[in-house]
Amino acid sequence: MRENATEPESKLLRAWQLAVLRFAVTLDDDDRMHALGVAGEVDRLGGAADDAFHFFRRTTAELCAAISGQGADQDAVIRRFLAQIDNVRLKRAVEAAIANDRTPPKLVASRVKPGPDLWRGLAPRRATGT
């Protein structure tokens, strides 16, 4: 992140990095579009009245392609992005999300399975006959 960034700029840059992380975790097209939207907001901070300045949108498109396993120089694009992250926990999260050997998360339909075994092990209720 830029050292001379104001607080709102820093927050927006962090939001952009988190949006890219979210895409890296989900690989969902909606999350890619969200990351591109945040990148557009960061680009508007440049103050250009027209669309001449679109560094973050271009970079986000390259990053999303690299994370998805598409595009040229995937490793170099990802390394450049990681080098710009100054928060160690965020950097580790991004590295874990884009690791080549990661297994996709399993969806859990239900953590508690209803049935007769649900109450097993609990003492039976006693009728209160008072």
Side-chain angles (χ1 to χ4, degrees), residues 18-31:
L18 290 171
V20 172
L21 170 60
R22 183 175 177 155
F23 171 75
V25 169
T26 66
L27 299 177
D28 186 64
D29 196 46
D30 289 339
D31 291 328

Side-chain angles (χ1 to χ4, degrees), residues 22-28 96-99 101-109 111:
R22 183 175 177 155
F23 171 75
V25 169
T26 66
L27 299 177
D28 186 64
I98 60 176
D101 60 345
R102 73 177 175 147
T103 57
K106 294 180 181 177
L107 297 177
V108 178
R111 294 197 185 272

Side-chain angles (χ1 to χ4, degrees), residues 1-120:
M1 240 188 273
R2 292 183 357 198
E3 290 180 19
N4 60 350
T6 65
E7 185 176 342
E9 288 174 336
S10 294
K11 286 182 180 183
L12 194 52
L13 286 170
R14 179 73 65 213
W16 172 68
Q17 291 172 335
L18 290 171
V20 172
L21 170 60
R22 183 175 177 155
F23 171 75
V25 169
T26 66
L27 299 177
D28 186 64
D29 196 46
D30 289 339
D31 291 328
R32 182 181 63 81
M33 295 304 292
H34 175 72
L36 286 167
V38 175
E41 291 181 41
V42 177
D43 282 340
R44 282 191 283 286
L45 286 177
D50 57 3
D51 271 350
F53 184 71
H54 53 275
F55 170 80
F56 284 94
R57 283 178 279 185
R58 185 176 56 250
T59 301
T60 303
E62 290 174 358
L63 267 169
C64 290
I67 291 168
S68 298
Q70 305 162 354
D73 292 334
Q74 298 168 15
D75 292 335
V77 170
I78 292 170
R79 274 195 311 270
R80 278 194 307 268
F81 178 66
L82 289 171
Q84 295 172 354
I85 299 175
D86 58 354
N87 182 299
V88 175
R89 292 185 305 174
L90 178 59
K91 185 181 285 194
R92 287 181 185 159
V94 172
E95 288 171 340
I98 60 176
N100 290 333
D101 60 345
R102 73 177 175 147
T103 57
K106 294 180 181 177
L107 297 177
V108 178
S110 174
R111 294 197 185 272
V112 177
K113 295 180 180 169
D117 291 43
L118 179 64
W119 305 109
R120 186 180 61 191

